[in-house]
Amino acid sequence: MINIAIDGPGGAGKSTIAKAAAKELGYIYVDTGALYRSVGLYALRKDVKTDSADEVVPLLKEITVELKFIDGSQRVFLNGEDVSEEIRTPEASMAASNVSAIQAVRDFLFDLQRDIAKANNCIMDGRDIGTVVLPDAQVKIFLTASAEERAKRRYIQLTEKGQEVNYEDVLKELQERDYQDSHREIAPLKPADDSVIVDTTEINLEQSIDTVVNVIRERI
Ligand code: DC
């Protein structure tokens, strides 16, 4: 199977770009952030402290997370409930980042990711795909952009979805999450040694997709 790993900080456009590239190449697109978001959402609903391993780990035995691919688009199910939209709030983002620093949570979601990659040609995006989940991926891309540009894009995306947010809060939340995701002890966000770095600060969406598709085509 052909496995492409795309990692990078929040708001770099990973999901939009990876989705478009996957469509062009005929692969499935797997958004692994949705898995951490689902665990985070469950912890939020249970009103536990999402950064406390002692409080989050016992919940794992109550949780089933599944990914389904409907018309090529991914939906995530938490105990059978489709939570694909609900996991996108700023609260769920922070909860995801918090629970993702817990080793038992990463272990819990590991096999699911590996099994999908074994069975499908896929582009998988996340933070540790090239470094931990798919170290043997044929192509690894680290997709990034400046924090301000990422915040601007995320702000537009959330506003278009009707969420009431302000730019400063979005920027602050992204920076907090970047710091936390890059500085945690386990599986921190960092480019794999053999990754190609694509910086999209100065290029538009179409150019970013072309760049990523070209990087992939050159290597497979
Ligand atoms: O990609 P995203 O913004 O939806 O991810 C939400 C959080 O989940 C992110 O802040 C860190 C965590 N995450 C992770 O630790 N490893 C992954 N492979 C994907 C996401």
Side-chain angles (χ1 to χ4, degrees), residues 18 22 26-30 69 72 116 120-124:
Y27 302 165
I28 62 164
Y29 161 62
V30 186
F69 298 90
I116 293 172
N120 301 277
N121 291 332
C122 68
I123 298 185
M124 189 172 280

Side-chain angles (χ1 to χ4, degrees), residues 7 36 100-101 103 106 126-129 131-133 180-190:
D7 292 299
Y36 294 93
S100 75
Q103 182 71 58
R106 307 202 71 84
R127 301 291 186 287
D128 63 334
I129 308 305
T131 50
V132 178
V133 179
Q180 188 162 296
D181 294 345
S182 322
H183 289 79
R184 66 185 179 211
E185 258 165 60
I186 23 169
L189 167 67
K190 63 165 188 221

Side-chain angles (χ1 to χ4, degrees), residues 135-154:
D136 297 326
Q138 286 90 337
V139 187
K140 299 179 185 178
I141 294 172
F142 193 83
L143 198 67
T144 188
S146 73
E148 290 72 20
E149 181 61 26
R150 288 187 284 119
K152 195 177 106 195
R153 294 175 189 168
R154 177 60 57 91

Side-chain angles (χ1 to χ4, degrees), residues 33-112:
L35 303 173
Y36 294 93
R37 286 171 180 271
S38 299
V39 173
L41 177 66
Y42 189 82
L44 280 180
R45 286 178 176 177
K46 288 283 162 178
D47 215 14
V48 308
K49 280 175 54 202
T50 53
D51 60 357
S52 159
D54 287 346
E55 294 190 29
V56 171
V57 174
L59 300 180
L60 293 175
K61 60 179 186 305
E62 305 167 10
I63 300 179
T64 315
V65 185
E66 292 161 288
L67 293 182
K68 292 184 187 163
F69 298 90
I70 300 164
D71 291 335
S73 128
Q74 171 185 302
R75 308 295 298 180
V76 62
F77 292 80
L78 171 63
N79 293 338
E81 174 193 353
D82 186 340
V83 291
S84 309
E85 319 299 337
E86 203 178 334
I87 55 170
R88 297 292 156 199
T89 61
E91 295 72 40
S93 300
M94 222 38 229
S97 180
N98 286 339
V99 300
S100 75
I102 302 169
Q103 182 71 58
V105 172
R106 307 202 71 84
D107 294 344
F108 176 71
L109 298 172
F110 185 80
D111 288 345
L112 174 61

